[in-house]
Amino acid sequence: MKQGDNKVKKYKKGYTQGVYDMFHIGHLNLLNHAKEYCDYLVVGVNSDALVESYKHKKPVIHENERKSIVENIKAVDEAVIVETLDKIEQLNNFGYDVIFIGDDWKGNARWEETKRQLGDRGVDLIFLPYTHGVSSTILRKEEGEKIGDS
């Protein structure tokens, strides 16, 4: 955010959460954009067990290493390993006033309900621009194709 830019509301504490497996430019873009909106950014790093429970696959990078990578990003003030996708529980844990998610989730029923629930508690949800063409899933697939070609 540029000095004097009134288009972006400044929040005290922001929160975002993800796997951050095979950290890539899309992750960095999301974290940097999130920090433009808030003074303090908390990033939840989904535990290995949590990822396996809903994605049904094991992360390539162990949770402690993913947390270490995330907490060393300049935009991140605090990184924590989290065991739930429940954003109300995370609100109770971290007391944020804004939450960030990629705009590829806009219109998703779960996120629209989360937006409503958080709004009832005075918390804003901001959809940030998704970096198209890159994801850990795409990177995994491309790497698998390379290995298969050798």
Side-chain angles (χ1 to χ4, degrees):
M1 183 169 71
K2 294 183 178 94
Q3 199 86 12
D5 185 353
N6 292 327
K7 292 181 206 163
V8 178
K9 182 178 176 185
K10 193 76 166 163
Y11 296 89
K12 288 185 195 249
K13 187 185 267 189
Y15 181 78
T16 192
Q17 180 174 335
V19 180
Y20 305 104
D21 199 18
M22 297 171 61
F23 196 90
H24 55 71
I25 193 68
H27 294 136
L28 185 62
N29 289 342
L30 183 114
L31 296 175
N32 284 337
H33 288 310
K35 183 61 177 182
E36 292 173 0
Y37 287 86
C38 60
D39 294 325
Y40 192 88
L41 180 62
V42 178
V43 179
V45 176
N46 295 351
S47 73
D48 291 347
L50 178 60
V51 174
E52 289 181 55
S53 76
Y54 72 94
K55 286 197 171 200
H56 309 292
K57 60 185 174 184
K58 186 175 181 172
V60 173
I61 310 297
H62 185 271
E63 63 191 34
N64 292 329
E65 293 174 6
R66 291 184 284 115
K67 177 183 177 273
S68 183
I69 290 165
V70 169
E71 69 191 359
N72 279 283
I73 303 299
K74 185 168 53 172
V76 176
D77 295 295
E78 182 180 354
V80 292
I81 295 174
V82 295
E83 302 288 343
T84 182
L85 297 175
D86 185 331
K87 301 308 182 268
I88 302 301
E89 185 175 328
Q90 302 304 32
L91 174 61
N92 293 334
N93 290 337
F94 305 112
Y96 53 83
D97 55 342
V98 63
I99 189 168
F100 306 100
I101 187 71
D103 65 6
D104 54 321
W105 289 100
K106 205 172 212 174
N108 172 278
R110 181 173 67 95
W111 276 102
E112 292 302 326
E113 177 60 17
T114 299
K115 182 177 183 177
R116 187 195 62 72
Q117 289 175 346
L118 291 172
D120 290 348
R121 291 165 173 80
V123 175
D124 290 341
L125 185 148
I126 296 178
F127 291 98
L128 294 173
Y130 174 75
T131 305
H132 293 280
V134 64
S135 73
S136 297
T137 301
I138 291 169
L139 292 172
R140 269 184 192 224
K141 184 175 183 221
E142 288 175 356
E143 189 58 31
E145 289 170 0
K146 286 180 194 171
I147 291 169
D149 292 341
S150 6

